[in-house]
């Protein structure tokens, strides 16, 4: 049964993907990412237009983080890009919010997209290293991310950007931005006061 109110050219309701964000089945290789998700286009575009234009594009897009605050991504990237000295990208994939599964679902479905996004950010802010922080207890997600990083590096996409995968504690506070940075610097996952 089709939809009687749909135009004759519209796809049958049963054929329309229910979820536009998560690919079904999951993306399992860089070749799959290239074929099904048009992988690499975002990174190639960012490299072609340059860091300044990439920052402007991200700011104009209105893209926001998926955390509770929904902070504007362009503003965050611009702040990092304007810092003096070496810059370091950090991906918070620690999923600190109780009862949520958003980061883990995205990583399980398509870790290549996360790694490509991290490389775009690194390019835009001038970072030569990116750390992807995930709870050590997220074993499946860590394996998926590790495989994606290895394939993307082998394909030459990282080009001068060192990719590091770091496991952290299962504590709720590890998912908080400054608590995560504390762990990466060898301390307990307590939020910074100032």
């Amino acid at each position: 049964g089709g939809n009687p109110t749909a135009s004759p050219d519209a796809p049958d309701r049963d054929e329309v993907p229910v979820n536009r964000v998560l690919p079904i089945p999951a993306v399992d290789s860089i070749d799959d990412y290239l074929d099904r998700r048009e992988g690499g286009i975002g990174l190639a575009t960012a490299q072609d237009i340059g860091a300044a234009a990439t920052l402007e594009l991200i700011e104009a897009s209105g893209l926001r983080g998926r955390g509770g605050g929904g902070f504007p991504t362009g503003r965050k990237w611009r702040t990092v890009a304007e810092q003096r000295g070496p810059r370091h990208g950090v991906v918070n994939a620690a999923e600190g919010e109780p009862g949520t599964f958003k980061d883990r679902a995205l990583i399980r479905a398509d870790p290549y997209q996360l790694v490509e996004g991290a490389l775009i950010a690194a390019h835009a802010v001038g970072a030569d290293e990116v750390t992807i922080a995930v709870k050590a207890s997220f074993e499946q997600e860590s394996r998926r991310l590790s495989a994606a990083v290895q394939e993307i590096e082998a394909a030459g996409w990282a080009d001068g950007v060192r990719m590091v995968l770091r496991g952290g504690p299962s504590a709720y506070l590890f998912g908080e931005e400054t608590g995560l940075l504390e762990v990466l610097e060898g301390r307990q996952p307590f939020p910074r006061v100032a």
Side-chain angles (χ1 to χ4, degrees), residues 14-28 32 36-37 105-106 108-110 113 144:
D14 295 334
E15 295 173 15
V16 177
V18 174
N19 191 321
R20 298 184 325 236
V21 177
L22 302 176
I24 300 170
V27 177
D28 286 326
D32 193 17
R36 289 184 29 217
R37 305 283 280 177
L106 290 168
R108 286 180 180 187
D110 190 354
Q113 187 175 35
R144 299 270 293 140

Side-chain angles (χ1 to χ4, degrees), residues 126-191:
D128 58 4
E129 185 169 321
V130 171
T131 297
I132 302 172
V134 64
K135 290 183 179 179
S137 61
F138 294 175
E139 294 175 11
Q140 179 181 354
E141 293 78 12
S142 295
R143 281 192 306 273
R144 299 270 293 140
L145 282 167
S146 180
V149 166
Q150 289 174 14
E151 284 186 77
I152 283 175
E153 287 176 336
W157 292 15
D159 192 30
V161 177
R162 181 173 176 251
M163 304 286 299
V164 178
L165 185 61
R166 287 274 305 269
S170 292
Y172 166 76
L173 290 175
F174 180 54
E176 191 276 332
E177 178 180 338
T178 62
L180 183 140
L181 294 174
E182 289 290 305
V183 169
L184 295 181
E185 293 174 2
R187 294 183 286 276
Q188 294 295 312
F190 297 119

